[in-house]
Amino acid sequence: MFSTSETVLTRRDDVRNLAIIAHVDHGKTTLVDGMLRQSHVFRANQDVIELVLDSNALEREKGITILAKNTAVRFRGIKINIIDTPGHADFSGEVERVLNMADGCLLLVDAVEGPMPQTRFALGKALRLGLKPILVINKIDRATARPIEVLDEVQDLFLDLATDVDQLDFDVVYTNAKEGTATLDPSRSGVDLAPLFEAIVDGIPTPTVDVDRGFQLVVSNIRANEYLGRTAIGRVARGRVRRGNALVRIDREGRVVRQRASDVFAFEGLDTVAVEEAEAGDIILLSGIADVQIGDTIAAAETPDPLPRIQIEQPTVQMTFGANTSPFVGREGTFVTSRHLRARLLRELDTNVALRVEEGESHDVFLVSGRGELHLAILVETLRREGYELQVSRPRVIPQVIDGVLCEPIEHVVIDCPEMYVGSLAVELTSRLGLLRHQQSDGRGYARLEYRVPTRGLIGFRGVFLTLSHGEGTISSAIDGFEPIGAEIGQTRTGALVATHPGTATAHGLNNAQERGQTFIVPGALVYEGMVVGISRYPQDVPINVCKEKKQTNIRSSTADIAVKLSPPLRLSLEESLAWIGDDELVEVTPTTIRIRKRLLSAEDRLKARKDRGRDQ
């Protein structure tokens, strides 16, 4: 304990608060699994799934962390509060809102890939907040691992990002998260994760806090509980809190609302346990705080002092969300009106801090802004699984005015792929205004390409990338600043096959359609006018009647009874559909179906709109 002129500060040697930050797929959640197991969080006979913190169904399906989560383990009697963060750039808002709870961070880097775009973003945020880093080089067991070279690359990254010379001095631990081992010498295999736990206990700063003045906490997360309602999660910045204490909530506008703490909980392993008292330095959950929002300050009623609100970078991509207006509206969903959609989107703002929702041009359309295509696609997928019907537009970039100049976001793109595909990828990225910054071969037939590409040039690129790299490459990107808007990007897709008649698709009609392109549907599928039923092989849209039946005649040929053989339909996922559609199209999303449609369903209306645009030009 030591004092300043104003306060007496206490060092909490019994607690360590750390965030784990990494690029996607570098093994962060797997490492947390190992830490939980070796801390004896689970019973000896307990059947535990892998990636236990990725509890969200979408996280398991996509294999990525989407939401930041809290857990806690104990080592040598010291409680280690762990904040698991997403590694995908589209969910970087989750990283920004929880780092304020930590005193240090584990920077996890793949021993093969090295530092990637999101590594730079997350480390930059952590260093600006003054977090003490520990470097963890993971996957050292891989045949192509290069831990020494990766260490050099990370040191260069620290030189670029450090805000203080002391941040250049960091501990290094080498791990095989899959096997649950750590070592300080990459040439020797580890036995368990004890070296990592030792580094955390010795290297992460202890909270140095004021426990005597009035309670103070900024809400970093919110958890819904069917028994307790909304619970606020945050780190106690000052003072102590007990169950039943009189508190106040200070919102975004500075309004002070009296509250009372119903219960106080702390994290223990994967559970939360009720505690009698929590003090500065603890990460806790508070129940009973009505209408609480992320960023609000909760303070003692006698000392209602607000804390700075969490600052989140602005969204870069925007889509329109609207109530479904297709002829099939209401057939598959439970929530189909704009009132339902508005209420749900506003509710999403409570926890999705990187999201923005505004009213659109009409009462049933909303402008929804996020940090990337995947960020918004995950929201759409979540809504449809909850029973909503909606229609959404192609993502578009949100420009910003900087020093009086209209600028657009630019992304740092890293591609690893076989060398044989470098040429075709270079041609495609150049057509999307990509600028090659670095190219390197690993001597084993693979190359790494680093580009700077406008975000609008990357919309729809990932599907093209998978095709051009034959599924053998990986791509990652993160926002790398803003630059004045450049030249227009040419059309990157062919036209659409557009249904001209409503009804049921027939084999004969689809056979005719497949002569003009690739279809999305099978015989028996219900179709409406203006629905996109396939991809045309021509630059322009092709109207087609897929409900047309073969006319019967009195003349019988030798092949009349032979069934029509159709090619399998092309099944586009939600993300692929959003990337493929044009400005005059929408994706219709229901709990059971994803369809693509024209904004104007009638061919006559589309023709009139084209004439009107021609006159305007």
Side-chain angles (χ1 to χ4, degrees):
M1 181 180 294
F2 56 95
S3 63
T4 68
S5 58
E6 298 180 359
T7 60
V8 176
L9 301 181
T10 301
R11 180 176 285 112
R12 293 282 309 275
D13 292 326
D14 60 329
V15 175
R16 303 290 187 276
N17 297 318
L18 67 94
I20 302 185
I21 56 177
H23 185 78
V24 65
D25 202 32
H26 278 197
K28 174 174 45 59
T29 306
T30 303
L31 182 64
V32 175
D33 275 3
M35 296 174 72
L36 289 168
R37 285 186 170 88
Q38 295 187 27
S39 301
H40 307 295
V41 167
F42 309 115
R43 301 187 309 274
N45 62 343
Q46 187 173 351
D47 184 19
V48 182
I49 59 176
E50 292 184 354
L51 306 179
V52 65
L53 283 190
D54 283 348
S55 54
N56 182 292
L58 279 173
E59 290 178 323
R60 293 205 158 274
E61 289 179 21
K62 296 186 178 295
I64 59 174
T65 301
I66 296 173
L67 303 173
K69 305 176 188 68
N70 295 78
T71 186
V73 299
R74 293 187 180 271
F75 179 75
R76 289 196 330 215
I78 296 173
K79 183 175 184 179
I80 303 173
N81 286 309
I82 300 172
I83 307 159
D84 184 30
T85 64
H88 197 289
D90 281 22
F91 307 107
S92 51
E94 292 285 308
V95 180
E96 294 175 89
R97 71 175 171 81
V98 296
L99 288 182
N100 69 311
M101 291 192 284
D103 297 297
C105 64
L106 297 186
L107 175 67
L108 199 70
V109 180
D110 190 300
V112 176
E113 294 186 350
M116 300 291 276
Q118 183 66 2
T119 312
R120 171 180 285 271
F121 172 86
L123 178 61
K125 290 290 182 184
L127 294 181
R128 283 193 288 275
L129 287 171
L131 303 189
K132 174 69 175 176
I134 294 175
L135 173 61
V136 179
I137 299 180
N138 190 31
K139 304 185 184 181
I140 61 171
D141 58 306
R142 294 178 63 181
T144 54
R146 48 187 189 94
I148 304 304
E149 293 91 333
V150 168
L151 176 58
D152 291 339
E153 293 171 5
V154 175
Q155 287 174 331
D156 291 341
L157 186 61
F158 270 82
L159 285 171
D160 287 344
L161 300 176
T163 59
D164 187 284
V165 67
D166 292 338
Q167 293 174 336
L168 300 177
D169 180 22
F170 52 87
D171 296 328
V172 184
V173 181
Y174 303 89
T175 62
N176 176 357
K178 194 171 182 179
E179 296 297 327
T181 62
T183 178
L184 302 181
D185 182 354
S187 64
R188 297 182 180 180
S189 299
V191 177
D192 53 27
L193 291 176
L196 177 61
F197 283 118
E198 296 281 358
I200 292 170
V201 169
D202 296 338
I204 299 296
T206 59
T208 302
V209 292
D210 176 7
V211 297
D212 295 323
R213 289 201 295 161
F215 171 73
Q216 206 178 31
L217 172 148
V218 63
V219 179
S220 299
N221 202 355
I222 292 174
R223 177 184 292 186
N225 184 289
E226 59 181 316
Y227 301 108
L228 301 173
R230 290 162 63 85
T231 57
I233 300 175
R235 172 178 168 165
V236 182
R238 191 181 71 186
R240 296 181 172 88
V241 64
R242 297 178 64 89
R243 176 182 178 180
N245 279 172
L247 304 172
V248 296
R249 176 177 61 82
I250 306 171
D251 65 14
R252 182 183 301 274
E253 284 72 35
R255 292 189 294 261
V256 178
V257 182
R258 296 189 67 85
Q259 307 280 338
R260 190 171 295 277
S262 299
D263 288 287
V264 182
F265 299 88
F267 291 95
E268 287 290 345
L270 299 178
D271 300 322
T272 55
V273 296
V275 295
E276 288 298 319
E277 181 181 77
E279 62 182 39
D282 290 328
I283 295 177
I284 64 170
L285 301 91
L286 279 177
S287 66
I289 311 300
D291 301 321
V292 65
Q293 305 290 332
I294 291 175
D296 288 355
T297 295
I298 301 174
E302 61 273 14
T303 55
D305 305 322
L307 287 164
R309 292 190 72 86
I310 299 170
Q311 298 299 315
I312 302 293
E313 291 188 4
Q314 292 299 308
T316 57
V317 175
Q318 186 175 77
M319 291 165 48
T320 63
F321 284 46
N324 187 12
T325 60
S326 89
F328 294 168
V329 60
R331 296 189 182 187
E332 300 167 354
T334 304
F335 307 107
V336 299
T337 68
S338 59
R339 178 176 58 84
H340 288 133
L341 184 59
R342 176 186 285 105
R344 178 61 181 85
L345 289 174
L346 294 179
R347 195 162 67 248
E348 183 70 17
L349 295 176
D350 292 346
T351 55
N352 200 335
V353 293
L355 200 71
R356 302 288 185 273
V357 177
E358 308 168 58
E359 294 288 340
E361 296 179 354
S362 62
H363 71 282
D364 59 349
V365 174
F366 309 93
L367 296 177
V368 182
S369 307
R371 295 289 275 272
E373 291 176 81
L374 185 59
H375 183 201
L376 296 178
I378 290 293
L379 173 59
V380 175
E381 181 66 27
T382 300
L383 294 181
R384 89 179 188 97
R385 294 187 182 203
E386 293 176 0
Y388 287 82
E389 284 192 17
L390 63 156
Q391 56 192 31
V392 295
S393 71
R394 175 182 172 86
R396 67 178 184 87
V397 167
I398 305 172
Q400 290 189 15
V401 177
I402 301 176
D403 297 330
V405 178
L406 194 62
C407 298
E408 64 179 334
I410 306 293
E411 300 197 30
H412 175 210
V413 180
V414 176
I415 291 173
D416 291 300
C417 68
E419 291 178 336
M420 67 182 76
Y421 306 132
V422 168
S424 57
L425 287 170
V427 170
E428 181 66 27
L429 283 166
T430 301
S431 71
R432 295 169 179 265
L433 305 184
L435 178 63
L436 179 65
R437 302 301 297 269
H438 180 70
Q439 180 175 340
Q440 181 179 355
S441 174
D442 66 356
R444 304 184 185 92
Y446 268 73
R448 169 165 289 189
L449 309 175
E450 295 190 34
Y451 276 84
R452 277 175 61 83
V453 188
T455 297
R456 61 191 169 99
L458 289 177
I459 292 176
F461 174 69
R462 282 171 172 77
V464 175
F465 170 75
L466 290 175
T467 301
L468 294 178
S469 65
H470 295 254
E472 298 181 51
T474 60
I475 179 173
S476 60
S477 65
I479 299 296
D480 193 32
F482 286 78
E483 293 182 359
I485 294 178
E488 290 292 325
I489 296 176
Q491 183 174 341
T492 58
R493 53 157 267 195
T494 59
L497 300 178
V498 185
T500 58
H501 293 74
T504 303
T506 65
H508 178 66
L510 289 174
N511 187 48
N512 291 336
Q514 289 189 349
E515 294 176 359
R516 296 163 175 81
Q518 193 171 10
T519 55
F520 294 153
I521 60 176
V522 297
L526 295 177
V527 176
Y528 54 80
E529 181 187 2
M531 178 174 159
V532 175
V533 294
I535 300 175
S536 168
R537 64 181 56 174
Y538 309 106
Q540 68 277 4
D541 291 344
V542 175
I544 192 80
N545 180 9
V546 292
C547 303
K548 185 177 182 180
E549 296 184 358
K550 187 175 181 180
K551 292 184 178 180
Q552 301 295 319
T553 69
N554 292 326
I555 302 174
R556 178 185 178 91
S557 70
S558 59
T559 59
D561 296 325
I562 298 177
V564 174
K565 295 190 182 298
L566 298 173
S567 300
L570 177 63
R571 303 287 192 183
L572 296 183
S573 67
L574 174 61
E575 291 92 338
E576 290 168 337
S577 299
L578 291 173
W580 184 80
I581 62 173
D583 293 334
D584 65 334
E585 293 160 346
L586 298 169
V587 179
E588 177 189 354
V589 182
T590 76
T592 58
T593 311
I594 296 172
R595 303 181 185 94
I596 297 175
R597 51 160 288 180
K598 289 294 182 180
R599 286 181 182 268
L600 301 175
L601 298 180
S602 166
E604 183 179 344
D605 291 341
R606 294 197 297 274
L607 179 60
K608 181 180 178 182
R610 281 196 297 271
K611 290 181 178 178
D612 291 341
R613 284 196 301 271
R615 282 195 294 270
D616 293 340
Q617 293 173 356

